[in-house]
């Protein structure tokens, strides 16, 4: 009898309407950028997808100027109820074009289509719908009557959730009356530029949203630009620190959402099969390219062997490969550099004495792929327990008592998220009260909702995105 | 059939009522949200082309073709056995079903109809579907089925006793029926729709496995909800954990409410990814269904012919 091998079920790449070239979106139109053009790759095949014209200093100036004008003349003075209409329109257009956007996102980023289709796009639309609802209710958000927008927001987003991070940044900024200059990541600019088309379709006034693709040198220029009132950044802690230095001493507001090394704490009374699912979802979702990924598994010693056995079995059923295949669970690593960094850190784990186990799944010859890997016998002093790997690599540590679990979970310079697995409500609450993390999930992991504030402690940054709290970052309160 | 030698920890679990209770309540809990989310996610697997044809043929070979109505007659059973022999007369390469499932008094008719084949004859004994009768009546029911030639016995557990926490009693009854079934395969129907929680489904699954059931089966088909994907997930986890603990492979049978090829394939995906490849055989996985077969046959034709032919092209028996 043959094994149950699923035949390939590829989503059509034609749906992405891929064009040979893309251009910056400034003042309501697409313009040739004056910067050095860049090529964006499909990380699953290493083929060039499109050439992207990038923004020069003059383009940046033009975009900030357009945003300023739109803020002063149109968007800032506009009643909230009017702004809401635009946001609702954008949300609906995202829903209408969600298949196209999902395929494009998968081509450009390497994430599996089932995630871009079932997770990213629905959340992107939800963020615009949610914030559209706030636009005319800011007086009742708890910041006193008539809170004012800040002005022009400069926003820099990473490559792990290109469109979702755009939504997290743009939706609250627009809802509160700010205008936006956004720089998408160098390796994943395409969906952001298609979002420019959506702004046109929605009839958004020119200048309200400007999108400037570019390389790493464009970010600092945007941060430094005197015409920008607020900087919002999601990305690495390293870059976050540089930005904070740049902004220091200026009147600019700043929110940072940076790296993480989240602890996923499994107590011995946990629903073990679901905990295993949560561990898998926590670290292998989006190839582990998630700042709040549950990359440190803390499991109680009395169930450690059982959990590890179940985990290895479960991970060996994960399907790695073509991201456009609807049956793929783990897609491609976004870039060669990132793959190199993951390999380097994984090797360090082995060198420091942790036991490496890698899923026996077949790995494609082309493209950037890294098979799901777990390290057991990890200790707090190892690099793989301290540094963010940002890939499908899980470090497994054990603990004996709840106090030890909390101590180990908090023993990190980061503090973005954490997970607790227990059937006992009192234990969940006890632990959650002691974990220093922006989000604590109980008996689940990596759940997002526009109404739930998200953000970090310590080196994971400051400021919150989402919910009522998230509005504060874009209001003068 | 003698009970298998269990590892010490499991053998100890069945020592007395108290240890049985401790063991069952010591099993890891099942998180409802988590198991339902997993079942939903896994159901989005896209099965195409050669895999689909393989899945359809495998599903056909796993069907327990069933008629369990008060109005069942010998004629009805004869028609069913004819269908079991040749599910699609136009296409002799169609696999045969695994078994025909009838009430005990009709087993003799089924035996006659299936003479010369290796198709199983399953019978629902033990005061099916409610199980509300005395031990003697249940045993007599089983005896009738087995003596008439049933090769598989589908028993119902006493849900009342289970919900009251009289686990020892349920355990002992399964054992008694295990013994009375002689060489017949024993499928233990948990009637998960009446057990209400996934924790209970897990406990009942272990109880049935400990008592020597060859299969754990979701439902009688007479109670709603019958088989569901999340419940089947929990049961597949139980047989997988049992395999890890003992090295024995026991079976799972969802029954009731699985009507379409699409649904059946979702269950096969769950078998493949939750329990493992070795469960993908009629020895270890069955569908309790009456109307599923025709949809499988139609879809099989669609795969071969390249177009859909319609319900009039398969027999309605």
């Amino acid at each position: 009898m043959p094994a149950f091998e699923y035949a390939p079920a590829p989503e059509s790449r034609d749906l992405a309407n891929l064009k040979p070239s893309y251009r910056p979106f400034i003042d309501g139109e697409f313009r040739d950028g004056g910067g050095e053009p860049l090529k964006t790759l499909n990380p699953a095949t290493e083929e060039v997808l499109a050439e992207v014209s990038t923004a020069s200093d003059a383009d940046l100036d033009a975009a900030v100027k357009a945003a300023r004008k739109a803020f002063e003349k149109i968007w800032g003075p506009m009643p909230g109820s009017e702004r809401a209409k635009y946001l609702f329109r954008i949300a609906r257009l995202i829903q209408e074009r969600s298949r196209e956007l999902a395929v494009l996102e998968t081509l450009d980023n390497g994430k599996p289509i089932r995630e871009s289709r079932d997770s990213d796009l629905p959340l992107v639309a939800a963020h615009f719908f949610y914030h559209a609802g706030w636009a005319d209710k800011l007086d009742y958000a708890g910041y006193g009557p008539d809170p004012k927008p800040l002005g022009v927001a400069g926003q820099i987003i990473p490559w792990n959730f290109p469109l979702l991070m755009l939504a997290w940044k743009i939706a609250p900024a627009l809802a509160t009356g700010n205008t936006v200059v956004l720089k998408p990541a160098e390796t994943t600019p395409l969906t952001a530029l298609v979002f420019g088309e959506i702004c046109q379709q929605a009839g958004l006034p020119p200048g309200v949203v400007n999108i400037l693709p570019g390389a790493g040198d464009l970010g600092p220029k945007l941060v430094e630009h005197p015409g920008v009132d607020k900087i919002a950044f999601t990305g690495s802690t390293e870059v976050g620190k540089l930005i904070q230095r740049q902004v220091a001493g200026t009147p600019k507001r700043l929110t940072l959402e940076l790296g993480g090394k989240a602890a996923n704490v499994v107590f011995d009374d946990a629903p073990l099969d679901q905990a295993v699912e949560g561990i898998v979802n926590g670290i292998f979702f989006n190839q582990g390219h998630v700042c709040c990924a549950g990359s440190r598994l803390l499991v109680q010693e009395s169930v450690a062997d059982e959990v590890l056995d179940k985990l290895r079995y479960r991970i060996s059923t994960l399907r790695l490969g073509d991201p456009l295949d609807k049956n793929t669970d783990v897609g491609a690593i976004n870039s060669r550099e990132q793959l190199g960094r993951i390999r380097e850190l994984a090797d360090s784990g082995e060198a420091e004495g942790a036991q490496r186990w890698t899923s026996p799944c077949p790995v494609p010859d082309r493209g950037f792929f890294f098979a799901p890997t777990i390290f057991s016998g990890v200790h707090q002093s190892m690099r793989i327990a301290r540094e963010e790997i940002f890939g499908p690599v899980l470090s497994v540590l054990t603990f004996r008592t709840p106090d030890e679990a909390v101590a180990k979970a908090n023993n990190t310079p980061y503090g973005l998220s954490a997970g607790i697995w227990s059937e006992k409500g009192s234990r969940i609450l006890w632990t959650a009260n002691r974990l220093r993390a922006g989000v604590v999930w109980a008996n689940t992991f990596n759940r997002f909702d526009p109404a739930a504030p998200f953000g970090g402690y310590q080196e994971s940054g400051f400021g919150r995105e989402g919910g009522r709290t998230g509005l504060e970052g874009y209001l003068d309160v | 059939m003698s009970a298998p030698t269990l590892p010490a920890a499991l053998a100890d679990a069945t020592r007395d009522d108290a240890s049985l209770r401790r063991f069952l309540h010591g099993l890891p809990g099942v998180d409802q949200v988590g198991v339902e989310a997993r079942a939903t996610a896994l159901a989005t697997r896209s099965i195409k082309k050669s895999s689909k044809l393989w899945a359809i043929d495998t599903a056909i070979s796993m069907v327990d073709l069933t008629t369990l109505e008060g109005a069942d007659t010998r004629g009805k059973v004869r028609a069913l056995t004819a269908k079991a022999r040749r599910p699609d007369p136009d296409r002799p390469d169609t696999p045969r079903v695994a078994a025909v499932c009838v009430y005990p008094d009709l087993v003799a008719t089924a035996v006659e109809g299936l003479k010369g084949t290796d198709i199983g004859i399953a019978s629902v004994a033990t005061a099916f579907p409610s199980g509300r009768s005395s031990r003697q009546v249940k045993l007599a029911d089983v005896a009738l089925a087995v003596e008439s030639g049933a090769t598989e016995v589908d028993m119902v557990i006493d849900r009342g006793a289970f919900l009251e926490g009289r686990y020892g009693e349920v355990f002992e009854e399964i054992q008694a029926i295990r013994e009375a079934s002689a060489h017949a395969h024993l499928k233990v129907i948990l009637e998960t729709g009446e057990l209400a929680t996934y924790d209970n489904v897990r406990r009942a699954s272990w109880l049935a496995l400990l008592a020597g059931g060859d299969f754990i089966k979701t439902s009688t088909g007479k109670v709603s909800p019958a088989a569901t994907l999340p419940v089947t997930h929990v049961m597949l986890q139980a047989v997988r954990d049992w395999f890890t603990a003992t090295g024995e492979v026991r079976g799972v049978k969802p029954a009731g409410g699985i009507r379409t090829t699409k649904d059946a394939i979702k269950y096969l995906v769950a078998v493949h990814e939750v329990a493992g490849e070795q469960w993908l055989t009629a020895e270890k996985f069955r569908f309790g269904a009456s109307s599923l077969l025709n949809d499988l046959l139609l879809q099989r034709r669609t795969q071969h012919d390249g177009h859909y032919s319609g319900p009039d092209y398969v027999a309605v028996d």
Side-chain angles (χ1 to χ4, degrees):
Chain A
M1 188 186 66
F4 196 176
E5 281 177 16
Y6 309 152
E11 180 60 282
S12 164
R13 69 174 273 164
D14 296 343
L15 290 169
N17 290 330
L18 194 66
K19 292 178 289 193
S21 66
Y22 289 80
R23 296 186 294 168
F25 181 66
I26 298 166
D27 203 11
E29 56 184 26
F30 291 97
R31 297 183 188 171
D32 284 326
E36 197 65 31
L38 59 85
K39 290 183 165 58
T40 186
L41 290 187
N42 177 348
T45 60
E46 301 177 52
E47 53 159 351
V48 173
L49 284 174
E51 191 171 276
V52 180
S53 162
T54 69
S56 63
D57 295 359
D59 299 323
L60 175 61
D61 277 336
V64 174
K65 218 169 271 166
R68 171 67 54 197
K69 194 171 133 206
F71 171 68
E72 283 170 0
K73 304 268 186 250
I74 311 170
W75 197 252
M78 188 185 281
S81 54
E82 286 300 306
R83 287 201 306 271
K85 287 183 194 168
Y86 287 104
L87 286 168
F88 276 122
R89 219 177 283 159
I90 290 172
R92 287 195 300 268
L93 285 164
I94 287 169
Q95 286 183 322
E96 275 168 27
R97 297 178 68 170
S98 68
R99 224 167 145 206
E100 171 196 352
L101 290 165
V103 175
L104 188 60
E105 191 83 315
T106 287
L107 283 175
D108 203 19
N109 170 277
K111 65 175 68 200
I113 185 72
R114 58 190 264 142
E115 286 176 10
S116 52
R117 175 195 65 192
D118 299 343
S119 175
D120 290 37
L121 262 298
L123 274 169
V124 169
H127 270 270
F128 279 96
F129 278 120
Y130 174 81
H131 284 98
W134 269 121
D136 60 351
K137 302 175 192 71
L138 297 174
D139 293 355
Y140 312 99
Y143 303 119
D146 199 19
K148 296 290 182 226
L150 298 172
V152 177
Q155 306 179 320
I156 302 169
I157 56 171
W159 47 261
N160 58 343
F161 291 94
L163 197 56
L164 184 61
M165 290 300 109
L166 173 146
W168 281 28
K169 294 278 180 294
I170 291 186
L174 297 194
T176 45
N178 300 273
T179 56
V180 165
V181 178
L182 177 126
K183 183 192 114 50
E186 184 177 353
T187 59
T188 56
L190 298 186
T191 42
L193 294 170
V194 173
F195 180 79
E197 283 176 25
I198 290 176
C199 293
Q200 286 179 329
Q201 264 183 295
L204 196 71
V208 175
V209 168
N210 302 273
I211 294 167
L212 303 182
D217 57 330
L218 184 62
K221 290 177 189 161
L222 175 59
V223 174
E224 266 169 13
H225 201 286
V228 172
D229 303 296
K230 146 98 190 179
I231 295 293
F233 172 76
T234 294
S236 72
T237 295
E238 198 188 332
V239 176
K241 286 179 180 172
L242 290 176
I243 291 176
Q244 198 172 0
R245 276 192 208 109
Q246 270 185 297
V247 170
T250 73
K252 289 178 191 175
R253 306 284 188 96
L254 178 64
T255 48
L256 295 174
E257 200 262 274
L258 309 175
K261 191 72 188 173
N264 210 353
V265 182
V266 178
F267 288 106
D268 58 3
D269 63 349
L272 290 186
D273 291 297
Q274 285 72 49
V276 166
E277 281 310 308
I279 294 162
V280 167
N281 181 35
I283 184 64
F284 300 117
F285 177 66
N286 206 36
Q287 297 76 247
H289 299 330
V290 185
C291 45
C292 53
S295 52
R296 276 187 304 149
L297 172 63
L298 292 175
V299 55
Q300 197 150 10
E301 277 179 15
S302 50
V303 291
D305 289 342
E306 195 180 346
V307 168
L308 268 170
D309 284 345
K310 280 177 184 279
L311 195 56
R312 287 192 200 103
Y313 174 72
R314 174 67 179 94
I315 292 169
S316 61
T317 68
L318 286 174
R319 302 169 64 86
L320 177 113
D322 178 8
L324 273 184
D325 191 321
K326 292 170 199 162
N327 292 327
T328 292
D329 298 315
V330 181
I333 304 299
N334 182 249
S335 65
R336 188 182 296 282
E337 294 76 56
Q338 185 58 27
L339 182 60
R341 183 173 157 73
I342 296 168
R343 284 192 175 139
E344 193 262 317
L345 268 162
D347 292 345
S348 87
E350 225 163 349
E352 289 179 12
Q355 285 91 52
R356 180 180 191 152
W357 180 91
T358 301
S359 168
C361 65
V363 179
D365 323 323
R366 278 203 310 165
F368 313 131
F369 288 93
F370 193 90
T373 296
I374 45 182
F375 280 101
S376 49
V378 177
H379 305 290
Q380 283 293 100
S381 53
M382 295 179 178
R383 275 183 76 197
I384 50 170
R386 310 204 68 80
E387 294 180 30
E388 186 179 34
I389 301 176
F390 223 64
V393 181
L394 177 69
S395 300
V396 185
L397 299 90
T398 57
F399 68 88
R400 292 161 300 177
T401 62
D403 281 319
E404 189 183 345
V406 169
K408 282 185 168 169
N410 286 339
N411 180 216
T412 168
Y414 296 108
L416 200 51
S417 67
I420 306 169
W421 296 84
S422 169
E423 283 270 89
K424 206 169 184 171
S426 57
R427 179 166 292 160
I428 290 173
L429 294 175
W430 183 91
T431 313
N433 276 331
R434 284 162 180 77
L435 290 178
R436 280 198 308 272
V439 186
V440 180
W441 284 293
N443 289 341
T444 187
F445 210 92
N446 272 347
R447 292 256 176 171
F448 302 100
D449 190 288
F454 184 91
Y457 280 70
Q458 307 187 107
E459 295 211 0
S460 290
F462 46 77
R464 294 290 180 264
E465 292 180 298
R468 192 185 64 84
T469 328
L471 300 172
E472 191 177 341
Y474 290 96
L475 289 171
D476 189 11
V477 293
Chain B
M1 184 175 152
S2 62
T5 358
L6 293 175
L10 289 181
D12 201 42
T14 63
R15 200 182 54 229
D16 56 33
D17 232 10
S19 52
L20 195 54
R21 157 178 295 275
R22 263 199 308 278
F23 175 79
L24 294 177
H25 284 262
L27 291 167
V30 183
D31 185 75
Q32 183 189 339
V33 177
V35 74
E36 288 174 1
R38 164 88 169 126
T40 312
L42 207 49
T44 63
R45 285 279 191 240
S46 176
I47 309 297
K48 293 189 162 174
K49 302 185 191 102
S50 57
S51 311
K52 187 162 186 185
L53 197 56
W54 181 87
I56 291 172
D57 278 1
T58 305
I60 293 173
S61 75
M62 290 171 166
V63 166
D64 281 2
L65 200 54
T66 302
T67 182
L68 295 172
E69 293 165 24
D72 281 346
T73 59
R74 280 171 290 179
K76 164 99 184 167
V77 172
R78 277 196 287 267
L80 210 62
T81 55
K83 173 130 185 175
R85 281 168 169 271
R86 288 205 301 168
D88 190 344
D90 297 343
R91 294 175 184 279
D93 63 334
T94 310
R96 284 177 176 171
V97 300
V100 166
C101 183
V102 295
Y103 276 115
D105 62 320
L106 291 163
V107 166
T109 313
V111 169
E112 213 173 287
L114 294 174
K115 212 175 284 166
T117 71
D118 55 359
I119 299 170
I121 296 147
S123 183
V124 291
T126 65
F128 183 91
S130 68
R132 303 232 76 105
S133 193
S134 69
R135 179 75 56 88
Q136 286 129 297
V137 169
K138 292 179 185 177
L139 288 173
D141 211 10
V142 173
L144 171 61
V146 175
E147 279 157 21
S148 312
T151 56
E152 303 177 2
V153 169
D154 291 24
M155 71 164 289
V156 290
I157 64 163
D158 184 341
R159 280 88 77 191
F162 183 89
L163 291 170
E164 279 183 17
R166 292 184 274 125
Y167 301 126
E169 228 172 287
V170 181
F171 175 79
E172 197 215 324
E173 185 163 288
I174 300 172
Q175 268 193 327
I177 289 165
R178 163 74 280 169
E179 219 156 283
S181 305
H183 293 293
H185 265 254
L186 181 65
K187 305 195 199 102
V188 183
I189 304 174
L190 310 179
E191 196 64 288
T192 51
E194 290 182 347
L195 298 184
T197 68
Y198 293 115
D199 288 335
N200 275 345
V201 172
R202 170 165 287 178
R203 288 179 195 136
S205 298
W206 275 90
L207 193 56
L209 294 169
L210 281 167
D214 296 303
F215 263 75
I216 44 179
K217 174 174 167 183
T218 60
S219 332
T220 58
K222 307 287 183 194
V223 168
S224 182
T228 67
L229 266 176
V231 155
T232 310
H233 273 241
V234 173
M235 290 165 67
L236 286 166
Q237 279 156 0
V239 293
R240 178 156 183 96
D241 291 342
W242 180 266
F243 170 72
T244 309
T246 66
E248 276 178 38
V249 184
R250 305 274 183 95
V252 175
K253 176 178 172 185
I258 306 164
R259 294 195 179 86
T260 64
T261 303
K262 212 172 162 181
D263 280 345
I265 290 178
K266 287 177 189 173
Y267 280 86
L268 291 185
V269 168
V271 173
H272 179 220
E273 297 201 31
V274 179
E277 229 167 76
Q278 46 185 326
W279 275 267
L280 276 171
T281 126
E283 306 291 301
K284 298 302 160 207
F285 193 78
R286 295 282 181 83
F287 289 107
S290 43
S291 57
L292 171 64
L293 181 60
N294 271 1
D295 193 61
L296 287 167
L297 296 176
L298 279 173
Q299 293 301 330
R300 188 174 190 276
R301 281 168 168 247
T302 307
Q303 292 296 315
H304 279 294
D305 302 349
H307 60 85
Y308 184 70
S309 42
D312 289 344
Y313 291 80
V314 291
V316 291
D317 290 322

